[in-house]
Amino acid sequence: MFRTKRSGLVRRLWRSRAPVEGDGETDRGTHGTGGCCMGKATKVAKSNAGSEAELKSLTHSVLKKIKEKQLELLLQAVESKGGARSPCLLLPGKADAKVGQQSYSLPMLLYKVFRWPDLRHSSELKRLSCCESYGKINPELVCCNPHHMSRLCELESPPPPYSRYPMDYLKPPGELNEHMLIKDSLALQESGDRAHWCVVAYWEEKTRVGRLYSVQEPSLDIFYDLPQGNGFCLGQLCSENKSQLVQMVRAKIGYGIQLTREPDGVWVYNRSCYPIFIKSATLDNPDSRTLLVHKVFPGFSIKAFDYDKAGSLQRPNDHEFTQQPRTGFTVQISFVKGWGQCYTRQFISSCPCWLEVIFNTR
């Protein structure tokens, strides 16, 4: 029997499904121990042979009903692991599929098969702003592209004491060249460039690499190598750092992160294969005198900055804002390596590769 192109696409898609424990594949970037992202993308135990065969049969049956062009788009998204911008995959949202006693909507089935085998409910998901279905409700058709979705990072409540660390105003004087950063940021604003909503600085340990990157578009990809996105390519910056650790972490940045300004705040989506770590004053209790470093696993999103909360942090008698007026309007993000009291690195300036995002509140 001659194999059709459609059958070949279906087989390639099944081979590209998200790995489960027992597949013989390892993905160090999708699991870990500890951290603040409670719904982390850990692998689930491999199901028994019967349910695995049933899932395969169901997935093949569903995929064979999809148009060939749509299968090609889905395969592009799945094989690139979200690295390439792929179009929406609009399919009937109300169609149900059943595995054993469990019934799934068509989008949920595709999300489970190709991204998160441990996914339980759609409430765990957040649609990315690059998706045509973002912010829209269409009862007939919904985007089923698995890489147009992210998992929501659940914050710890209450946070454990071991993951907290002193505020940056307690760090040794002169650890970072803050005056240079503030001066460059003010220069951008005074030059008439008022359209930007934030600027991004890239650091390697205590040294800033390159100039500030001014952000005007609602969404920005920050990545290491071309062509892994449209935006801020860290690999093109001239760095003289010879540290082996810095070199190793640079190589792991990969697709990096996506920074998006949305109606409810600024979201960070981890596009890489390794965790990122985030500190933001708006992620914590405003009455707290210490800030929490949040660990965000690959495929997860976190609302890293809230404009309303940031405004409420500007208290005249607030010790933190007396010492560092920018703290409430800055987010710090490190790649691969964390910092704080549960790490050997107490301060982010000891991290190999990290970002500082400074928001324009004018």
Side-chain angles (χ1 to χ4, degrees):
M1 180 183 294
F2 292 103
R3 294 180 177 178
T4 64
K5 182 179 179 181
R6 180 188 298 273
S7 297
L9 291 171
V10 169
R11 282 192 298 274
R12 284 179 62 186
L13 279 164
W14 178 251
R15 288 196 297 268
S16 301
R17 71 191 188 282
V20 294
E21 190 174 327
D23 275 347
E25 299 180 33
T26 57
D27 185 355
R28 290 170 296 169
T30 58
H31 58 90
T33 57
C36 310
C37 191
M38 303 306 292
K40 46 188 175 290
T42 51
K43 293 181 183 178
V44 295
K46 192 170 185 179
S47 56
N48 61 55
S51 58
E52 174 75 1
E54 187 178 3
L55 178 62
K56 180 177 180 179
S57 175
L58 175 63
T59 304
H60 276 63
S61 175
V62 168
L63 293 177
K64 286 178 179 178
K65 296 176 183 177
I66 299 176
K67 294 179 180 179
E68 193 172 286
K69 181 63 176 177
Q70 291 177 314
L71 287 175
E72 291 177 343
L73 296 177
L74 177 59
L75 185 64
Q76 175 192 351
V78 170
E79 289 189 336
S80 73
K81 299 186 184 300
R85 288 293 179 95
S86 52
C88 289
L89 179 64
L90 297 176
L91 298 172
K94 290 186 176 180
D96 287 336
K98 196 168 185 179
V99 180
Q101 300 300 313
Q102 187 69 45
S103 181
Y104 301 104
S105 67
L106 177 56
M108 279 289 288
L109 176 67
L110 296 183
Y111 301 154
K112 284 179 66 69
V113 170
F114 295 111
R115 293 218 57 189
W116 303 289
D118 63 330
L119 185 64
R120 301 178 300 272
H121 195 271
S122 59
S123 61
E124 302 173 34
L125 298 173
K126 179 187 184 300
R127 191 169 296 279
L128 298 175
S129 61
C130 63
C131 181
E132 291 178 13
S133 298
Y134 175 76
K136 300 177 183 177
I137 299 177
N138 187 336
E140 301 301 326
L141 297 176
V142 64
C143 177
C144 299
N145 186 329
H147 288 279
H148 282 192
M149 303 295 292
S150 67
R151 294 282 290 270
L152 280 169
C153 187
E154 301 174 15
L155 304 184
E156 292 172 319
S157 181
Y162 65 79
S163 59
R164 289 188 170 270
Y165 72 103
M167 285 185 183
D168 278 354
Y169 68 77
L170 296 177
K171 65 175 176 277
E175 185 171 3
L176 296 179
N177 194 344
E178 297 286 349
H179 295 295
M180 176 180 69
L181 196 61
I182 296 172
K183 182 179 178 181
D184 286 358
S185 180
L186 290 175
L188 276 175
Q189 295 183 8
E190 292 171 358
S191 68
D193 181 14
R194 300 184 184 276
H196 75 276
W197 58 272
C198 76
V199 291
V200 180
Y202 171 59
W203 298 76
E204 291 177 353
E205 296 171 331
K206 297 178 183 178
T207 303
R208 201 184 89 197
V209 180
R211 298 179 60 83
L212 292 179
Y213 188 97
S214 178
V215 185
Q216 288 88 26
E217 297 298 322
S219 181
L220 172 71
D221 291 337
I222 303 175
F223 51 94
Y224 194 74
D225 291 320
L226 293 172
Q228 292 175 346
N230 298 311
F232 191 9
C233 179
L234 304 179
Q236 290 190 321
L237 301 180
C238 182
S239 170
E240 298 179 355
N241 197 309
K242 305 300 182 184
S243 162
Q244 287 187 343
L245 182 59
V246 170
Q247 300 283 348
M248 180 193 74
V249 171
R250 270 201 219 129
K252 293 181 177 180
I253 292 174
Y255 298 155
I257 65 171
Q258 186 176 95
L259 191 69
T260 307
R261 183 181 61 174
E262 303 187 25
D264 62 340
V266 178
W267 286 80
V268 173
Y269 169 49
N270 185 0
R271 301 174 69 226
S272 76
C273 294
Y274 295 86
I276 60 172
F277 299 80
I278 296 182
K279 187 207 78 173
S280 168
T282 66
L283 281 171
D284 290 305
N285 187 330
D287 296 326
S288 174
R289 294 187 63 81
T290 55
L291 298 178
L292 181 66
V293 177
H294 297 268
K295 186 176 185 178
V296 182
F297 284 86
F300 280 74
S301 287
I302 189 170
K303 186 164 74 169
F305 188 74
D306 187 303
Y307 287 101
D308 292 336
K309 286 185 179 179
S312 69
L313 289 173
Q314 296 183 79
R315 298 184 293 271
N317 298 322
D318 191 305
H319 180 59
E320 180 181 358
F321 281 87
T322 301
Q323 298 294 322
Q324 282 199 344
R326 298 183 302 104
T327 303
F329 306 110
T330 301
V331 169
Q332 294 175 329
I333 305 169
S334 69
F335 296 101
V336 185
K337 301 295 183 181
W339 79 99
Q341 289 187 350
C342 55
Y343 294 91
T344 57
R345 302 167 187 83
Q346 292 298 296
F347 305 102
I348 193 170
S349 58
S350 299
C351 291
C353 303
W354 57 283
L355 302 169
E356 187 158 27
V357 184
I358 308 161
F359 296 97
N360 178 9
T361 57
R362 293 190 178 186

